[in-house]
Amino acid sequence: MLKVSAVFYVAVYCILLVAATLLWSAATATGLRDNIEQVIGDLIASGKFHFVGSELLQAGAVGGATLVVLGTATNVMLTVLYNLISDLVGGLSLVVEERSVPRARPARAKRSERRLRSAERLPVTEEPRVAEAPITPETPKILIPEVERRQARPSVPTPTSPPEIPEQPLSGVERATDTNLEAFGL
């Protein structure tokens, strides 16, 4: 940590020192430095106020070097403190395992797989009988449990003897759909 901190702070120190020198040169070339000296001289009622560039550069160099030493020492002390604390309490451990990544499947396939998995996890109950509407080109095949259809349309009279509905095993998707309809109270 000592080496990394020292290199980092020395690099920042050099960058700031060069930037300050370039800004000083630009302010002198544009006359901005003379204007600032005049304003400060008027504020303190002294017509002979001037910045001395060499003294400012020397003060910046000494101050920057002091901050490099202090920053590096602070980082080293914090690292030692962290290591002591982690030795006492155990610290954190990060373990990275290599696993094979399955190939990406289309979103539609993932959704149907999730539906099938959720249908498999649901408790198996007695499946309601399903009434099939006649399949014609105009009407799509709709599967609605007989009990639910009567509740949905109470104004339609029910026949005296319901037609025989052959029992067909439901596919996984139809079973999941029926389960979802029951969950919503439909």
Side-chain angles (χ1 to χ4, degrees), residues 139-158:
T139 59
K141 181 179 177 181
I142 300 173
L143 299 176
I144 301 174
E146 186 67 30
V147 175
E148 294 170 4
R149 188 164 53 126
R150 278 192 227 124
Q151 290 175 353
R153 297 185 218 156
S155 61
V156 176
T158 57

Side-chain angles (χ1 to χ4, degrees), residues 23-174:
L23 285 174
W24 180 264
S25 300
T28 302
T30 60
L32 181 63
R33 189 188 77 180
D34 294 330
N35 290 341
I36 293 173
E37 287 174 349
Q38 184 180 6
V39 168
I40 292 175
D42 290 343
L43 287 174
I44 61 172
S46 171
K48 297 186 179 194
F49 180 81
H50 295 287
F51 289 117
V52 181
S54 61
E55 289 180 12
L56 287 174
L57 182 62
Q58 184 181 7
V62 170
T66 304
L67 289 176
V68 166
V69 171
L70 288 175
T72 304
T74 302
N75 285 354
V76 169
M77 291 306 294
L78 289 175
T79 303
V80 169
L81 184 64
Y82 170 77
N83 286 334
L84 289 174
I85 291 172
S86 66
D87 282 343
L88 288 175
V89 295
L92 298 175
S93 175
L94 179 66
V95 178
V96 180
E97 293 181 5
E98 183 178 335
R99 293 185 182 179
S100 62
V101 179
R103 239 177 5 131
R105 289 172 279 175
R108 176 172 260 175
K110 289 180 185 176
R111 278 191 298 242
S112 32
E113 283 182 30
R114 272 187 267 147
R115 287 183 189 146
L116 287 174
R117 276 190 244 132
S118 66
E120 291 170 359
R121 279 186 258 140
L122 293 173
V124 179
T125 59
E126 183 179 317
E127 297 178 10
R129 296 181 133 212
V130 176
E132 291 186 18
I135 300 174
T136 62
E138 299 84 31
T139 59
K141 181 179 177 181
I142 300 173
L143 299 176
I144 301 174
E146 186 67 30
V147 175
E148 294 170 4
R149 188 164 53 126
R150 278 192 227 124
Q151 290 175 353
R153 297 185 218 156
S155 61
V156 176
T158 57
T160 55
S161 63
E164 281 296 317
I165 300 172
E167 299 237 358
Q168 299 175 0
L170 296 176
S171 69
V173 173
E174 292 169 336

